Amino acid sequence: MKNIRTALAGLLVASLATSCNQATKTDTTAAATTNSAAPPDTAALAKKPDWWKETVVYQLYPRSFQDSNGDGVGDLRGIISRLDYLKSLGVGSVWLNPIYTSPNDDNGYDISDYRQIQPEFGTMADFDELLRGLHARGIKLIMDVVVNHSSDEHPWFKSARASRTSPYRDYYYWWPAEKGTPPARFSTFDVQHNAWQYDAPTKSYYLHYFSKKQPDLNWTNPKVRQEVYSMMRFWADKGIDGFRMDAFQFVAKDPTFPPMPGLTAQNFVNAYNHGPHLHDYLREMNREVFSKYNLMTVAEGAGRNPQDAMLFVDPARKELDMTYHFDAVGIGNKQGKYQLSELKNVFTKWEQEFATKGWQSIYLGSHDQPRIVSRFGDDRPAFRVPSAKLLTTFLLSMHGTPYCYFGDELGMTNIRFSSIADYRDVAARNGYELVKSQGGSLPDYLASLKIFSRDNSRTPFQWNTAANAGFTTGTPWLQVNPNYTTINETAQNQDPNSILNHFRRAIAMRKQHKVLVYGQYQLLDAANPTIYAYTRTLGQEKALVVLNFSAEARSWALPAGLTLAGPPWLNNYPTLAATASLALQPWQAVVVPIR
Ligand code: GLC
Ligand code: CA
């Protein structure tokens, strides 16, 4: 029994820790059934176009995209050499995971200089060239802003930890040892889940919600906030186009640290994610930074529920443009299996809140999540291609800005390492230490990592059949998935029926049909266990999306009153057999105009 419990705790490290997960439980009964009320009118949003509503974001993990100098680490010159590839996809924006100077405890999410480029990624001149190259191709650049915490190697923290009278002491949270043990706080990456680290030089504990090399910045200190705004203006002045606010829902804390008994991996997110003055900080940031530029802003994390999330993005509040929530990526995170009804319920629930106000991001995968085809599709050889295309079809036909994670356009899969030595992620490695120290089952923990480790989606991009998939001429920092010999960009570029070319067609379709950006979403046949079907409607323009989430052929009866108005705009099979019902092939996905 103890073993099972410890293994489960370990698994939660892998899944929760990796995503700053929104521990909100999905309501599996309510959402997907209500469709009788008059549909909301989304047309008003279409009349107020914002570029960030119409863009498609490509999330690019710089460490793993393209190495230019053979040191095994992807870099900016590598990205520069692949700009035409990015252009060929049709994406409107690229979000780069952090590229600032960092000791790399958490792959760049621990920053030691917010105004310099990580040397292994290149120089500021490389950055400027990259930005120009993207802009020359009509692609915007979104930067990751990591300001819940800095690195413990940031000069602010080095000074702060050296003396209690340092001018930077109040840039962080301290608990002097003479006050006893600090009130418990939960840390996701810590080997003991303890967010307080004792620091001998000043006989005090400092707070770290993530690893002990990621001390939390003290947002109650106006100087910290001004430093952050000034740093953001520095990048905005360079001409970048947006900010992704890392872990932002956690920045606000009550500096008196009242007791929070019973914090666990399951409840800590909700306990932390709406601290005092969070929205004051965002409004201040908006005044100080966003209002002066034409930027897109998106927060990671969105509070406890869609109503909380609306507080971040209601335009009247002048805070952010979008958030992304974790409800969908929380699905199936125990056994690696899920019910389609869960996915429908989550997306429908969130859509209901955002139908006519605010804006959402739509995503299934990221650098914190496993590969989408391994998780939500079926990566067995017979079904990988159609299921990856189906997931692309879903992302590009929903209401909200699509975020497509690099490599998913090729249908890259989980690598499923067998040994802890192969993992690089701090979450996996520290999770392993935790399970070990608790005497838990290490084989069970390793099995869970095969499903959920973040390293599954961080393996190098698979360009071609050369050594290391053409990613590097050296030794890659993280192993290349051996399936690169069959799954790679060069092969797919040449094949009109590849996942890659389907991805390009899906983006082109979205650009052509504004109904897919702004149209009202209505779920059909909510109870169907294998078919996800919905319509999108914008004035006279209507589309039907039907996705067969199964490895079997299925027939789906067209609802009464719904008539197909032409051939599919997008189809992952050569044909669509349609009479009064659609005869769908395994994992078939279609977008069809309707009347
Ligand atoms: C966010 C990032 C994740 C990082 C964490 C701490 O969740 O997406 O990669 O580990 O914040 O910065
Ligand atoms: Ca390199």
Side-chain angles (χ1 to χ4, degrees):
M1 184 63 194
K2 174 160 182 281
N3 271 359
I4 294 172
R5 233 182 296 122
T6 337
L8 234 181
L11 188 130
L12 279 159
V13 184
S15 55
L16 278 173
T18 56
S19 62
C20 305
N21 207 322
Q22 191 92 6
T24 12
K25 274 290 279 171
T26 306
D27 178 353
T28 43
T29 48
T33 45
T34 46
N35 272 307
S36 46
D41 178 15
T42 55
L45 290 175
K47 291 197 193 98
K48 242 188 102 279
D50 287 298
W51 68 263
W52 42 266
K53 290 180 183 160
E54 300 187 4
T55 197
V56 172
V57 179
Y58 185 76
Q59 184 194 343
L60 191 158
Y61 200 66
R63 261 191 115 61
S64 297
F65 192 58
Q66 177 71 69
D67 176 21
S68 71
N69 61 351
D71 67 355
V73 175
D75 47 49
L76 301 187
R77 297 225 66 83
I79 304 174
I80 291 168
S81 73
R82 296 294 185 178
L83 283 169
D84 288 336
Y85 172 70
L86 297 175
K87 166 92 179 152
S88 82
L89 297 175
V91 297
S93 309
V94 165
W95 150 28
L96 286 184
N97 290 96
I99 52 170
Y100 320 92
T101 311
S102 162
N104 239 359
D105 187 53
D106 185 20
N107 285 10
Y109 283 93
D110 47 318
I111 298 169
S112 53
D113 187 340
Y114 288 94
R115 294 172 194 238
Q116 294 291 336
I117 302 296
Q118 170 80 330
E120 60 183 355
F121 286 163
T123 64
M124 194 59 89
D126 295 332
F127 174 82
D128 293 339
E129 186 179 332
L130 172 61
L131 181 60
R132 277 197 305 276
L134 286 166
H135 284 171
R137 290 165 181 80
I139 302 173
K140 313 236 186 219
L141 178 61
I142 317 294
M143 297 284 275
D144 217 313
V145 179
V146 189
V147 288
N148 173 70
H149 43 268
S150 72
S151 162
D152 67 336
E153 296 182 36
H154 193 290
W156 298 334
F157 190 76
K158 285 189 185 163
S159 166
R161 81 182 337 171
S163 119
R164 289 192 181 189
T165 57
S166 154
Y168 293 102
R169 184 74 174 174
D170 290 343
Y171 276 41
Y172 299 89
Y173 293 108
W174 298 96
W175 186 273
E178 62 271 19
K179 281 172 69 180
T181 311
R185 288 297 184 270
F186 187 93
S187 158
T188 51
F189 298 166
D190 185 70
V191 284
Q192 301 295 334
H193 281 168
N194 180 0
W196 291 106
Q197 173 70 29
Y198 180 71
D199 208 40
T202 59
K203 299 194 172 55
S204 308
Y205 299 83
Y206 65 85
L207 184 75
H208 63 93
Y209 277 1
F210 295 91
S211 90
K212 67 179 182 200
K213 287 187 66 64
Q214 295 169 294
D216 284 38
L217 285 162
N218 176 2
W219 275 71
T220 67
N221 181 349
K223 282 193 201 147
V224 167
R225 305 203 299 272
Q226 289 307 324
E227 298 264 18
V228 169
Y229 307 149
S230 156
M231 174 273 285
M232 292 173 82
R233 286 191 297 261
F234 168 83
W235 290 100
D237 286 338
K238 280 188 159 286
I240 64 133
D241 306 286
F243 292 116
R244 178 257 188 197
M245 308 300 301
D246 181 69
F248 201 80
Q249 57 177 355
F250 294 140
V251 302
K253 284 136 195 151
D254 177 346
T256 66
F257 294 103
M260 283 187 176
L263 285 173
T264 64
Q266 289 78 5
N267 67 18
F268 83 95
V269 176
N270 281 354
Y272 288 2
N273 69 13
H274 246 102
H277 303 297
L278 179 63
H279 292 285
D280 296 333
Y281 301 153
L282 280 172
R283 277 192 291 273
E284 185 179 72
M285 184 184 288
N286 189 304
R287 277 197 308 277
E288 297 271 335
V289 187
F290 308 151
S291 67
K292 304 182 195 303
Y293 306 87
N294 178 18
L295 294 166
M296 174 198 119
T297 56
V298 55
E300 184 202 24
R304 292 151 296 198
N305 51 44
Q307 292 72 36
D308 273 4
M310 183 56 83
L311 298 175
F312 289 81
V313 298
D314 177 347
R317 295 171 57 87
K318 296 199 170 23
E319 296 185 21
L320 300 173
D321 297 325
M322 293 181 242
T323 64
Y324 57 92
H325 64 78
F326 288 100
D327 271 4
V329 294
I331 288 175
N333 62 3
K334 294 217 171 55
Q335 323 78 0
K337 294 204 173 61
Y338 73 103
Q339 302 288 322
L340 178 61
S341 58
E342 300 176 74
L343 203 66
K344 291 190 195 185
N345 283 338
V346 164
F347 278 95
T348 304
K349 176 178 88 177
W350 283 82
E351 171 56 28
Q352 279 163 356
E353 181 71 19
F354 288 83
T356 57
K357 197 169 67 169
W359 198 254
Q360 301 191 70
S361 53
I362 301 288
Y363 78 106
L364 289 170
S366 75
H367 66 295
D368 291 331
Q369 300 296 331
R371 282 287 171 194
I372 64 174
V373 70
S374 300
R375 179 176 206 167
F376 295 108
D378 185 337
D379 66 8
R380 290 176 294 172
F383 305 109
R384 188 185 62 85
V385 173
S387 69
K389 290 177 180 171
L390 174 141
L391 296 171
T392 297
T393 307
F394 172 72
L395 290 170
L396 275 300
S397 65
M398 283 293 285
H399 187 211
T401 299
Y403 284 62
C404 304
Y405 183 60
F406 93 120
D408 284 343
E409 77 272 28
L410 305 179
M412 282 175 60
T413 65
N414 284 357
I415 189 157
R416 304 185 174 109
F417 290 129
S418 306
S419 157
I420 192 66
D422 292 329
Y423 287 93
R424 295 289 169 270
D425 182 13
V426 63
R429 296 174 84 99
N430 286 0
Y432 188 86
E433 288 311 312
L434 178 68
V435 174
K436 200 159 128 187
S437 71
Q438 292 176 337
S441 162
L442 292 171
D444 286 358
Y445 184 67
L446 285 172
S448 76
L449 287 182
K450 284 188 182 180
I451 302 172
F452 287 106
S453 168
R454 308 195 290 185
D455 281 340
N456 280 310
S457 64
R458 296 177 176 184
T459 61
F461 193 86
Q462 295 166 203
W463 291 104
N464 52 45
T465 54
N468 294 315
F471 163 69
T472 181
T473 54
T475 307
W477 73 276
L478 179 68
Q479 279 173 48
V480 175
N481 194 315
N483 64 19
Y484 75 88
T485 50
T486 49
I487 304 174
N488 63 70
E489 187 270 334
T490 304
Q492 293 198 26
N493 191 42
Q494 288 154 6
D495 173 4
N497 294 320
S498 64
I499 303 167
L500 175 59
N501 281 316
H502 183 85
F503 180 73
R504 290 174 171 140
R505 282 194 290 273
I507 291 181
M509 164 187 75
R510 191 175 176 94
K511 279 189 194 149
Q512 199 187 336
H513 300 288
K514 288 285 173 279
V515 62
L516 296 174
V517 177
Y518 297 107
Q520 161 227 131
Y521 160 98
Q522 188 158 16
L523 181 68
L524 303 175
D525 195 8
N528 194 313
T530 50
I531 307 284
Y532 191 168
Y534 48 92
T535 54
R536 305 290 313 276
T537 307
L538 184 67
Q540 292 309 303
E541 208 183 5
K542 289 190 184 158
L544 168 71
V545 182
V546 187
L547 312 167
N548 176 12
F549 272 81
S550 81
E552 281 96 48
R554 304 269 173 194
S555 165
W556 188 70
L558 285 170
L562 192 155
T563 317
L564 304 190
W569 291 342
L570 191 67
N571 186 355
N572 61 350
Y573 278 80
T575 57
L576 173 65
T579 51
S581 47
L582 307 184
L584 299 162
Q585 300 296 309
W587 293 99
Q588 188 161 12
V590 291
V591 183
V592 203
I594 52 168
R595 271 194 290 275

